[in-house]
Amino acid sequence: MSPGPGLIPGMAASRTVASVYGRTLKPYTISAAPCECKTRIERPSPVKADIAALFQMSVEVEQKFLFNSDTVKTIEEIGVCVGLKQFHDQYFDTPDFKLTLRDVWLRRRKQSWELKCPTATVNGTGEPGREQSLCTQYKEITNLPEIYQRVKEFIKDACEDGETEVTPSDEDDSWLGKMNLRCFAEFTTTRRSFTLKGEQGVQIDLDQADFGYHVGEIEVLVPEGGDMQSAQEKIRHTAQKLGLNEERRVEGKMTVYLKRYRPEQYATLLSAHVL
């Protein structure tokens, strides 16, 4: 399933955004060989790789932003390009949206699985939905057996009756069918990543999805139990450096994808205050 034209390796992807929230944005370009960026396809960035080596579950604190050519120029001046990669994502849920109604997102990128959960939901104390702030906080679980157990807890009544326990693996997708999980979104993203000079632990990603949407992210990964307030302060400080002045949360790739290609699911999540 591919909703729109994919990006062709070796070619530049360009799109002009006429107006967003009443502002006119200049054209921008994400190139397959930008400035002095070291191109390594599917190689984890230094920020994520260092933390992932120590923690299988971390908290991702991020703020999305809209960018144009002026924003990119500022990022190139104050940051260091650490990589360019292209990746293909698939997202899974039950037909009645048992995961996404909890703001829980099950994703496969290449052959690796990840479960993103709001921090309160992971601890079993939260209700579906999220705080209406510019920053979001999700726990990232990358261990497949743990992902399987947590998904089972979320969708107990969706599992086929009488099925025996399975041991999930990257090579065997049969557990998806047994849990009535179906792919509801699939798209390819080209990402250009930066770290900031003099700002430890902050990463800036510029994403171009193959269905024609571009969005930036300022991200800090925090070990479970780490200092969330400090992470949010780093993000605010970085946003100021970039000259960002967002007054509302910017839509992510998934929100735009659902709005365009899965209107029923989008409307359901919107009414449940998940989006």
Side-chain angles (χ1 to χ4, degrees):
M1 176 181 67
S2 180
L7 295 174
I8 302 174
M11 300 291 289
S14 301
R15 183 172 297 270
T16 301
V17 181
S19 177
V20 181
Y21 300 145
R23 294 176 295 165
T24 300
L25 301 181
K26 297 180 181 179
Y28 70 92
T29 299
I30 295 181
S31 170
C35 58
E36 299 178 354
C37 175
K38 297 180 180 179
T39 303
R40 294 177 179 269
I41 303 301
E42 295 299 334
R43 178 177 178 178
S45 70
V47 175
K48 289 189 176 182
D50 290 346
I51 297 178
L54 297 175
F55 302 94
Q56 282 189 316
M57 184 161 60
S58 56
V59 178
E60 175 191 75
V61 185
E62 70 174 28
Q63 177 181 331
K64 293 179 172 61
F65 63 93
L66 301 172
F67 65 89
N68 55 28
S69 57
D70 291 336
T71 317
V72 174
K73 182 179 179 181
T74 300
I75 294 172
E76 291 173 342
E77 290 174 350
I78 68 175
V80 177
C81 185
V82 295
L84 172 71
K85 61 183 178 181
Q86 188 176 86
F87 49 84
H88 187 74
D89 289 334
Q90 295 174 297
Y91 288 82
F92 295 82
D93 200 355
T94 62
D96 54 353
F97 321 135
K98 288 187 181 297
L99 292 180
T100 52
L101 275 172
R102 292 175 174 267
D103 201 10
V104 172
W105 305 87
L106 176 62
R107 181 180 72 198
R108 176 166 57 187
R109 179 170 293 174
K110 292 188 69 176
Q111 291 302 311
S112 298
W113 290 91
E114 182 177 79
L115 189 68
K116 297 180 68 170
C117 312
T119 52
T121 300
V122 169
N123 296 328
T125 59
E127 295 296 327
R130 62 179 75 169
E131 292 181 1
Q132 297 301 307
S133 62
L134 293 178
C135 290
T136 59
Q137 297 181 15
Y138 286 92
K139 284 196 176 183
E140 297 183 326
I141 304 171
T142 57
N143 177 271
L144 185 54
E146 183 174 358
I147 289 174
Y148 174 74
Q149 291 301 325
R150 291 190 181 273
V151 170
K152 274 186 63 179
E153 295 172 5
F154 289 133
I155 60 172
K156 293 176 183 177
D157 56 341
C159 299
E160 295 182 10
D161 294 335
E163 289 290 346
T164 58
E165 187 75 14
V166 299
T167 302
S169 69
D170 292 331
E171 294 77 26
D172 183 6
D173 291 344
S174 62
W175 63 280
L176 295 171
K178 295 180 186 299
M179 303 180 84
N180 203 21
L181 293 167
R182 303 289 185 267
C183 179
F184 68 87
E186 185 172 0
F187 51 85
T188 298
T189 300
T190 297
R191 170 172 292 176
R192 191 178 173 195
S193 298
F194 296 81
T195 56
L196 286 188
K197 303 169 185 176
E199 192 73 66
Q200 292 282 30
V202 177
Q203 179 164 306
I204 300 173
D205 294 328
L206 303 180
D207 286 355
Q208 169 71 62
D210 65 356
F211 56 88
Y213 184 65
H214 76 287
V215 67
E217 297 177 354
I218 305 171
E219 178 182 287
V220 177
L221 283 182
V222 183
E224 188 175 9
D227 188 347
M228 298 300 164
Q229 186 173 353
S230 174
Q232 292 179 354
E233 183 57 38
K234 285 183 177 182
I235 289 175
R236 283 192 291 269
H237 187 239
T238 301
Q240 290 175 354
K241 284 185 175 181
L242 299 183
L244 303 178
N245 188 26
E246 304 292 353
E247 296 181 354
R248 68 182 77 182
R249 182 178 298 174
V250 171
E251 293 180 328
K253 297 188 296 292
M254 178 54 68
T255 299
V256 173
Y257 183 97
L258 292 175
K259 187 186 297 186
R260 293 181 183 179
Y261 306 108
R262 294 289 183 267
E264 179 186 355
Q265 186 171 2
Y266 172 79
T268 301
L269 299 183
L270 194 65
S271 64
H273 307 291
V274 173
L275 300 177

